[in-house]
Coordinates of all heavy atoms in Angstrom, one line a residue:
T1 N 80.4 74.6 99.4 CA 80.9 75.8 99.9 C 81.1 76.7 98.8 O 81.2 76.4 97.6 CB 82.2 75.4 100.7 OG1 83.2 75.2 99.9 CG2 81.9 74.5 101.8
S2 N 81.3 78.0 99.3 CA 81.7 79.0 98.3 C 83.0 78.7 97.5 O 83.2 79.1 96.4 CB 81.7 80.5 98.8 OG 82.6 80.5 99.8
E3 N 84.0 78.1 98.2 CA 85.2 77.7 97.6 C 85.0 76.6 96.6 O 85.6 76.7 95.4 CB 86.2 77.2 98.6 CG 86.7 78.3 99.7 CD 85.8 78.3 100.8 OE1 84.7 77.8 100.9 OE2 86.3 79.1 101.9
E4 N 84.2 75.7 96.8 CA 83.9 74.7 95.9 C 83.2 75.2 94.6 O 83.4 74.8 93.5 CB 83.0 73.6 96.5 CG 83.8 72.8 97.5 CD 82.9 71.8 98.3 OE1 81.7 72.3 98.7 OE2 83.3 70.7 98.7
L5 N 82.3 76.2 94.9 CA 81.6 76.8 93.7 C 82.6 77.6 92.8 O 82.6 77.4 91.6 CB 80.7 77.9 94.3 CG 80.0 78.8 93.2 CD1 79.1 78.0 92.3 CD2 79.2 79.9 93.9
A6 N 83.6 78.3 93.5 CA 84.6 79.0 92.7 C 85.5 78.1 91.9 O 85.9 78.3 90.8 CB 85.4 79.9 93.6
E7 N 85.8 77.0 92.5 CA 86.6 75.9 92.0 C 86.0 75.2 90.7 O 86.7 75.0 89.6 CB 87.1 74.9 93.0 CG 88.1 73.9 92.4 CD 88.6 72.9 93.5 OE1 88.6 73.3 94.7 OE2 89.0 71.8 93.1
A8 N 84.7 74.9 91.0 CA 83.9 74.3 89.8 C 83.8 75.3 88.6 O 83.9 74.8 87.5 CB 82.6 74.0 90.4
L9 N 83.5 76.6 89.0 CA 83.4 77.5 87.8 C 84.8 77.6 87.0 O 84.8 77.7 85.8 CB 83.0 78.9 88.3 CG 81.6 78.9 88.8 CD1 81.2 80.3 89.4 CD2 80.6 78.7 87.6
L10 N 85.8 77.6 87.7 CA 87.1 77.7 87.1 C 87.5 76.4 86.3 O 87.8 76.5 85.1 CB 88.2 77.9 88.1 CG 89.6 78.1 87.7 CD1 89.8 79.3 86.7 CD2 90.7 78.3 88.7
N11 N 87.3 75.2 86.9 CA 87.6 74.0 86.3 C 86.7 73.7 85.2 O 87.1 73.1 84.1 CB 87.5 72.8 87.4 CG 88.7 72.9 88.4 OD1 89.7 73.5 88.1 ND2 88.5 72.4 89.5
E12 N 85.4 73.9 85.3 CA 84.4 73.6 84.3 C 84.2 74.6 83.3 O 83.9 74.2 82.0 CB 83.1 73.2 85.0 CG 83.1 72.0 85.9 CD 81.8 71.7 86.5 OE1 80.9 71.9 85.9 OE2 81.9 71.1 87.7
L13 N 84.3 75.9 83.5 CA 84.1 76.9 82.6 C 85.3 77.7 82.2 O 85.2 78.5 81.3 CB 83.0 77.8 83.1 CG 81.7 77.2 83.5 CD1 80.7 78.3 84.0 CD2 81.0 76.5 82.3
G14 N 86.3 77.7 83.0 CA 87.4 78.6 82.8 C 87.2 79.9 83.2 O 87.8 80.9 82.7
V15 N 86.1 80.1 84.0 CA 85.8 81.5 84.6 C 86.3 81.5 85.9 O 85.8 80.8 86.8 CB 84.2 81.7 84.5 CG1 83.9 83.1 85.2 CG2 83.8 81.6 83.0
A16 N 87.0 82.6 86.3 CA 87.6 82.8 87.6 C 86.7 83.7 88.5 O 86.3 84.9 88.0 CB 89.0 83.3 87.6
V17 N 86.2 83.3 89.6 CA 85.5 84.2 90.6 C 86.2 84.0 92.0 O 87.0 83.1 92.2 CB 84.0 83.9 90.7 CG1 83.4 84.0 89.3 CG2 83.9 82.4 91.1
L18 N 86.0 84.9 92.7 CA 86.5 84.8 94.2 C 85.4 84.3 95.1 O 84.2 84.7 95.0 CB 86.9 86.1 94.8 CG 88.2 86.6 94.1 CD1 88.4 88.1 94.5 CD2 89.4 85.8 94.4
P19 N 85.6 83.3 95.9 CA 84.6 82.8 96.8 C 84.1 83.8 97.8 O 84.8 84.7 98.2 CB 85.2 81.6 97.5 CG 86.7 82.0 97.5 CD 86.9 82.6 96.2
G20 N 82.8 83.7 98.1 CA 82.3 84.7 99.0 C 82.9 84.8 100.3 O 83.0 85.8 101.1
S21 N 83.6 83.5 100.7 CA 84.3 83.4 102.0 C 85.4 84.4 102.1 O 85.8 84.8 103.1 CB 84.7 82.0 102.4 OG 85.5 81.6 101.3
A22 N 86.0 84.8 101.0 CA 87.1 85.7 101.0 C 86.6 87.1 101.3 O 87.4 88.0 101.6 CB 87.7 85.8 99.5
F23 N 85.4 87.4 101.4 CA 84.8 88.7 101.8 C 83.9 88.5 103.0 O 82.9 89.1 103.1 CB 84.0 89.2 100.4 CG 84.9 89.4 99.3 CD1 84.9 88.4 98.4 CD2 85.6 90.4 99.2 CE1 85.6 88.5 97.3 CE2 86.4 90.7 98.0 CZ 86.5 89.6 97.1
N24 N 84.4 87.6 103.8 CA 83.7 87.4 105.1 C 82.2 86.9 105.1 O 81.5 87.1 106.1 CB 83.8 88.6 106.0 CG 85.2 89.0 106.3 OD1 85.9 88.1 106.7 ND2 85.5 90.2 106.3
R25 N 81.8 86.2 104.0 CA 80.6 85.6 103.9 C 80.6 84.1 104.4 O 81.8 83.6 104.5 CB 80.0 85.5 102.5 CG 80.0 86.8 101.7 CD 79.1 87.8 102.3 NE 77.8 87.3 102.4 CZ 76.7 87.9 102.9 NH1 76.9 89.1 103.5 NH2 75.6 87.4 103.0
Q26 N 79.5 83.6 104.9 CA 79.7 82.2 105.5 C 80.2 81.2 104.3 O 79.8 81.3 103.2 CB 78.3 81.8 105.9 CG 77.7 82.5 107.0 CD 78.5 82.3 108.3 OE1 78.9 81.1 108.5 NE2 78.6 83.4 109.1
R27 N 81.1 80.4 104.7 CA 81.6 79.3 103.8 C 80.4 78.5 103.1 O 80.5 78.1 102.0 CB 82.6 78.4 104.4 CG 83.9 79.0 104.8 CD 84.9 78.0 105.3 NE 85.3 77.3 104.1 CZ 85.4 75.9 104.2 NH1 85.1 75.2 105.3 NH2 85.9 75.3 103.1
S28 N 79.4 78.2 103.8 CA 78.4 77.4 103.3 C 77.3 78.2 102.4 O 76.7 77.7 101.7 CB 77.5 76.9 104.5 OG 77.0 78.0 105.2
E29 N 77.5 79.5 102.4 CA 76.8 80.3 101.5 C 77.3 80.4 100.1 O 78.5 80.6 99.9 CB 76.7 81.8 102.1 CG 75.8 82.8 101.4 CD 75.9 84.1 102.1 OE1 75.1 84.2 103.1 OE2 76.6 84.9 101.6
L30 N 76.5 79.9 99.1 CA 77.1 79.9 97.8 C 77.1 81.1 97.1 O 76.3 81.5 96.3 CB 76.3 78.9 97.0 CG 76.2 77.5 97.4 CD1 75.3 76.6 96.5 CD2 77.7 76.9 97.5
T31 N 78.1 82.1 97.6 CA 78.3 83.4 97.1 C 79.7 83.4 96.4 O 80.6 82.7 96.8 CB 78.1 84.4 98.1 OG1 79.0 84.2 99.0 CG2 76.7 84.4 98.6
A32 N 79.7 84.3 95.3 CA 81.1 84.6 94.7 C 81.1 86.0 94.3 O 80.2 86.7 94.0 CB 81.2 83.5 93.5
R33 N 82.2 86.6 94.0 CA 82.5 87.9 93.5 C 83.1 87.8 92.1 O 84.2 87.1 92.0 CB 83.3 88.7 94.3 CG 83.4 90.2 93.9 CD 84.0 91.0 94.9 NE 83.0 91.2 96.1 CZ 83.3 92.1 97.0 NH1 84.4 92.8 97.1 NH2 82.4 92.2 98.0
L34 N 82.4 88.3 91.1 CA 83.0 88.4 89.9 C 83.5 89.7 89.5 O 82.8 90.7 89.7 CB 81.9 88.0 88.8 CG 82.2 88.1 87.3 CD1 83.2 86.9 87.0 CD2 80.9 87.8 86.6
S35 N 84.7 89.8 89.1 CA 85.5 91.1 88.9 C 85.5 91.2 87.3 O 86.1 90.4 86.7 CB 86.8 91.1 89.5 OG 87.5 92.3 89.1
C36 N 84.9 92.2 86.7 CA 84.9 92.4 85.4 C 85.9 93.2 84.9 O 85.9 94.4 84.8 CB 83.5 93.0 85.0 SG 82.0 92.1 85.4
V37 N 87.1 92.5 84.7 CA 88.3 93.3 84.2 C 88.9 92.9 82.9 O 89.9 93.2 82.5 CB 89.5 93.1 85.3 CG1 89.0 93.7 86.6 CG2 89.8 91.6 85.6
N38 N 88.2 91.9 82.2 CA 88.7 91.5 81.0 C 88.1 92.2 79.8 O 87.5 91.7 78.9 CB 88.3 90.0 80.8 CG 89.0 89.3 79.8 OD1 90.1 89.8 79.3 ND2 88.6 88.1 79.4
F39 N 88.4 93.6 79.8 CA 88.0 94.4 78.8 C 88.8 95.8 78.8 O 89.5 95.9 79.9 CB 86.4 94.7 78.7 CG 86.0 95.5 79.9 CD1 85.9 96.8 79.8 CD2 85.6 94.7 81.1 CE1 85.4 97.6 81.0 CE2 85.0 95.5 82.2 CZ 85.0 96.9 82.1
D40 N 88.8 96.5 77.7 CA 89.7 97.7 77.7 C 88.7 98.8 78.4 O 87.9 99.5 77.6 CB 89.9 98.1 76.3 CG 90.8 99.3 76.1 OD1 90.8 100.2 77.1 OD2 91.5 99.5 75.1
G41 N 88.8 99.0 79.6 CA 88.1 100.0 80.3 C 88.2 101.4 79.8 O 87.2 102.2 79.9
E42 N 89.4 101.8 79.5 CA 89.8 103.1 78.9 C 88.9 103.3 77.7 O 88.2 104.3 77.5 CB 91.2 103.3 78.7 CG 91.6 104.7 78.3 CD 93.0 104.8 78.1 OE1 93.9 104.0 78.6 OE2 93.4 105.9 77.5
Q43 N 88.9 102.4 76.8 CA 88.2 102.4 75.5 C 86.6 102.6 75.8 O 85.9 103.3 75.2 CB 88.5 101.2 74.6 CG 87.8 101.4 73.3 CD 88.0 100.2 72.5 OE1 88.3 99.1 72.9 NE2 88.0 100.3 71.1
A44 N 86.2 101.7 76.7 CA 84.7 101.7 77.0 C 84.2 103.0 77.7 O 83.1 103.5 77.4 CB 84.4 100.5 77.9
L45 N 85.1 103.5 78.6 CA 84.8 104.8 79.2 C 84.8 106.0 78.3 O 84.0 106.8 78.3 CB 85.8 105.1 80.3 CG 85.6 106.3 81.2 CD1 84.2 106.2 81.8 CD2 86.6 106.5 82.2
A46 N 85.8 105.9 77.5 CA 85.8 107.1 76.3 C 84.6 107.0 75.5 O 84.0 108.1 75.3 CB 87.0 106.9 75.6
K47 N 84.1 105.8 75.1 CA 83.0 105.8 74.2 C 81.8 106.1 75.0 O 80.8 106.8 74.6 CB 82.8 104.4 73.7 CG 81.7 104.1 72.7 CD 81.8 105.1 71.5 CE 80.7 104.9 70.5 NZ 80.9 105.7 69.3
S48 N 81.6 105.7 76.3 CA 80.5 106.0 77.1 C 80.4 107.7 77.2 O 79.3 108.1 77.3 CB 80.4 105.4 78.4 OG 81.5 105.8 79.4
K49 N 81.4 108.3 77.4 CA 81.5 109.7 77.5 C 81.1 110.4 76.4 O 80.5 111.5 76.4 CB 82.9 110.2 77.9 CG 83.3 109.9 79.4 CD 84.7 110.4 79.6 CE 85.0 110.2 81.1 NZ 86.5 110.6 81.5
E50 N 81.3 109.8 75.2 CA 80.9 110.4 73.8 C 79.4 110.3 73.8 O 78.7 111.2 73.2 CB 81.4 109.6 72.7 CG 82.8 109.7 72.3 CD 83.3 108.8 71.3 OE1 82.4 108.4 70.4 OE2 84.5 108.7 71.1
I51 N 78.9 109.3 74.3 CA 77.3 109.0 74.5 C 76.6 110.0 75.4 O 75.5 110.5 75.1 CB 77.1 107.6 74.7 CG1 77.6 106.7 73.6 CG2 75.5 107.4 74.9 CD1 77.6 105.2 74.0
T52 N 77.4 110.3 76.4 CA 76.8 111.2 77.6 C 75.9 110.5 78.5 O 75.2 109.6 78.1 CB 76.3 112.6 77.1 OG1 75.0 112.5 76.7 CG2 77.2 113.2 76.1
L53 N 75.7 111.0 79.6 CA 74.7 110.6 80.6 C 73.4 110.8 80.2 O 72.4 110.3 80.8 CB 75.1 111.2 82.0 CG 76.4 110.8 82.6 CD1 76.7 111.6 83.9 CD2 76.5 109.3 82.9
L54 N 73.1 111.8 79.2 CA 71.7 112.0 78.9 C 71.2 111.0 78.0 O 70.0 111.0 77.7 CB 71.8 113.5 78.1 CG 72.3 114.7 79.0 CD1 72.4 115.9 78.1 CD2 71.4 114.8 80.1
N55 N 71.9 110.2 77.5 CA 71.5 109.1 76.4 C 71.7 107.8 77.0 O 72.8 107.5 77.9 CB 72.2 109.2 75.1 CG 71.9 110.6 74.5 OD1 70.8 110.8 74.2 ND2 73.0 111.4 74.4
D56 N 70.9 106.8 76.7 CA 71.1 105.4 77.0 C 72.2 104.9 76.2 O 72.5 105.3 75.1 CB 69.8 104.6 76.8 CG 68.7 104.9 77.7 OD1 68.9 105.4 78.8 OD2 67.5 104.7 77.4
L57 N 72.9 103.9 76.8 CA 74.0 103.3 76.0 C 73.3 102.4 75.0 O 72.2 101.8 75.3 CB 74.8 102.3 77.0 CG 75.7 102.9 78.0 CD1 76.3 101.8 78.8 CD2 76.7 103.8 77.4
P58 N 73.9 102.3 73.7 CA 73.2 101.6 72.7 C 73.2 100.1 73.1 O 73.9 99.6 73.9 CB 74.1 101.7 71.6 CG 75.4 102.2 72.1 CD 75.1 102.8 73.3
P59 N 72.2 99.3 72.6 CA 72.0 97.9 73.0 C 73.2 97.0 72.7 O 73.4 96.0 73.5 CB 70.8 97.5 72.2 CG 70.2 98.7 71.7 CD 71.1 99.8 71.7
D60 N 74.1 97.5 71.8 CA 75.3 96.7 71.5 C 76.5 97.1 72.2 O 77.6 96.5 72.0 CB 75.5 96.5 69.9 CG 75.8 97.9 69.4 OD1 75.6 98.9 70.0 OD2 76.2 98.0 68.2
F61 N 76.3 98.0 73.1 CA 77.6 98.5 73.9 C 78.3 97.4 74.6 O 79.6 97.3 74.3 CB 77.1 99.7 74.8 CG 78.4 100.4 75.5 CD1 78.9 101.4 74.9 CD2 78.8 99.8 76.7 CE1 79.9 102.0 75.5 CE2 79.9 100.4 77.3 CZ 80.5 101.6 76.7
V62 N 77.7 96.7 75.3 CA 78.5 95.6 75.9 C 79.0 94.5 75.1 O 80.1 94.1 75.4 CB 77.4 94.9 77.1 CG1 78.2 93.6 77.8 CG2 77.0 95.9 78.1
D63 N 78.3 94.2 74.1 CA 78.9 93.3 73.0 C 80.2 93.8 72.5 O 81.1 93.1 72.2 CB 77.9 93.0 72.0 CG 76.7 92.1 72.4 OD1 76.8 91.4 73.3 OD2 75.6 92.3 71.8
N64 N 80.0 95.1 72.2 CA 81.1 95.9 71.5 C 82.4 96.1 72.4 O 83.6 95.9 72.0 CB 80.8 97.1 70.8 CG 80.0 96.8 69.7 OD1 80.0 95.7 68.9 ND2 79.1 97.8 69.4
Y65 N 82.2 96.4 73.6 CA 83.3 96.8 74.6 C 83.6 95.9 75.6 O 84.7 96.2 76.4 CB 82.8 98.2 75.1 CG 82.9 99.3 73.9 CD1 81.7 99.6 73.3 CD2 84.1 99.7 73.4 CE1 81.8 100.5 72.2 CE2 84.2 100.6 72.4 CZ 83.0 101.0 71.7 OH 83.0 101.9 70.7
C66 N 82.7 94.9 76.0 CA 82.9 94.1 77.2 C 82.7 92.6 76.8 O 82.1 91.9 77.7 CB 82.1 94.6 78.3 SG 82.1 96.3 78.6
C67 N 83.0 92.2 75.5 CA 82.5 91.0 75.1 C 83.0 89.7 75.9 O 82.1 88.9 76.1 CB 83.0 90.9 73.6 SG 82.5 89.3 72.9
D68 N 84.2 89.7 76.3 CA 84.7 88.5 77.0 C 84.1 88.5 78.4 O 83.8 87.3 78.9 CB 86.2 88.5 77.2 CG 87.0 88.3 75.8 OD1 86.4 87.7 74.9 OD2 88.1 88.8 75.9
T69 N 83.7 89.5 79.1 CA 83.0 89.6 80.3 C 81.6 89.1 80.1 O 81.2 88.2 80.9 CB 83.1 91.0 80.9 OG1 84.5 91.3 81.1 CG2 82.4 91.0 82.2
L70 N 80.9 89.5 79.0 CA 79.6 89.0 78.7 C 79.5 87.5 78.5 O 78.7 86.9 79.1 CB 79.0 89.7 77.5 CG 77.6 89.4 77.2 CD1 76.7 89.8 78.2 CD2 77.3 90.3 75.9
V71 N 80.5 87.0 77.8 CA 80.7 85.7 77.4 C 80.7 84.8 78.9 O 80.2 83.8 79.1 CB 81.8 85.3 76.6 CG1 82.1 83.8 76.4 CG2 81.5 85.8 75.2
A72 N 81.6 85.2 79.8 CA 81.8 84.7 81.1 C 80.5 84.7 81.9 O 80.1 83.6 82.4 CB 82.9 85.4 81.9
V73 N 79.9 85.8 81.9 CA 78.5 85.7 82.7 C 77.4 84.8 82.0 O 76.9 84.0 82.6 CB 78.0 87.2 82.7 CG1 76.5 87.2 83.1 CG2 78.9 88.0 83.6
E74 N 77.4 84.7 80.7 CA 76.5 83.8 80.0 C 76.8 82.4 80.3 O 75.9 81.6 80.4 CB 76.5 84.1 78.4 CG 76.0 85.4 78.1 CD 76.1 85.8 76.6 OE1 76.9 85.2 75.9 OE2 75.4 86.8 76.2
K75 N 78.2 82.1 80.3 CA 78.6 80.7 80.6 C 78.2 80.3 82.1 O 77.8 79.2 82.3 CB 80.1 80.6 80.6 CG 80.7 80.5 79.2 CD 82.2 80.3 79.3 CE 82.8 80.0 78.0 NZ 84.3 79.8 78.1
I76 N 78.3 81.2 83.1 CA 77.8 81.0 84.4 C 76.3 80.8 84.4 O 75.8 79.8 85.1 CB 78.3 82.1 85.4 CG1 79.8 82.2 85.5 CG2 77.6 82.0 86.7 CD1 80.3 83.4 86.3
V77 N 75.5 81.6 83.7 CA 74.2 81.4 83.8 C 73.7 80.1 83.1 O 72.9 79.4 83.7 CB 73.5 82.6 83.0 CG1 72.0 82.2 82.7 CG2 73.6 83.9 83.7
E78 N 74.3 79.8 82.0 CA 74.1 78.5 81.4 C 74.4 77.3 82.4 O 73.6 76.3 82.5 CB 74.7 78.4 80.1 CG 74.5 77.0 79.3 CD 75.3 77.0 78.0 OE1 75.2 78.0 77.2 OE2 75.9 76.0 77.8
W79 N 75.5 77.4 83.0 CA 75.9 76.3 83.9 C 75.0 76.2 85.2 O 74.7 75.1 85.5 CB 77.3 76.7 84.4 CG 78.0 75.8 85.3 CD1 78.6 74.6 85.0 CD2 78.1 75.8 86.7 NE1 79.2 73.9 86.1 CE2 78.8 74.7 87.2 CE3 77.7 76.6 87.7 CZ2 79.2 74.5 88.5 CZ3 78.1 76.6 89.1 CH2 78.7 75.3 89.4
L80 N 74.5 77.3 85.6 CA 73.5 77.3 86.7 C 72.2 76.7 86.3 O 71.7 76.0 87.2 CB 73.3 78.7 87.3 CG 74.5 79.3 88.1 CD1 74.3 80.8 88.3 CD2 74.8 78.6 89.3
H81 N 71.8 76.9 85.0 CA 70.5 76.3 84.7 C 70.6 74.8 84.5 O 69.7 74.1 84.4 CB 70.1 76.9 83.3 CG 69.5 78.2 83.6 ND1 68.6 78.8 82.7 CD2 69.6 79.2 84.6 CE1 68.3 79.9 83.1 NE2 69.0 80.2 84.2
K82 N 71.9 74.2 84.3 CA 71.9 72.8 84.2 C 71.8 72.0 85.5 O 71.8 71.8 86.4 CB 73.4 72.4 83.7 CG 73.6 72.9 82.2 CD 74.9 72.5 81.7 CE 75.0 72.9 80.3 NZ 76.3 72.6 79.7

């Protein structure tokens, strides 16, 4: 179930997600919601405004401003491949 998926990610990886069932998805559907809040949003937003919408974010932007969130996503991807 989506609850079991969320529990496994927390217990095995230390990554917290909300089960899809918390958002009216079927319990049997293996869905989850990942909230990316483990970074300094104010700092990331300020830097992105310096770059402006006319330019692409530099390739290392996520590494520099959202590192912990990126690590969590990478852990989930690696876990799913096992």
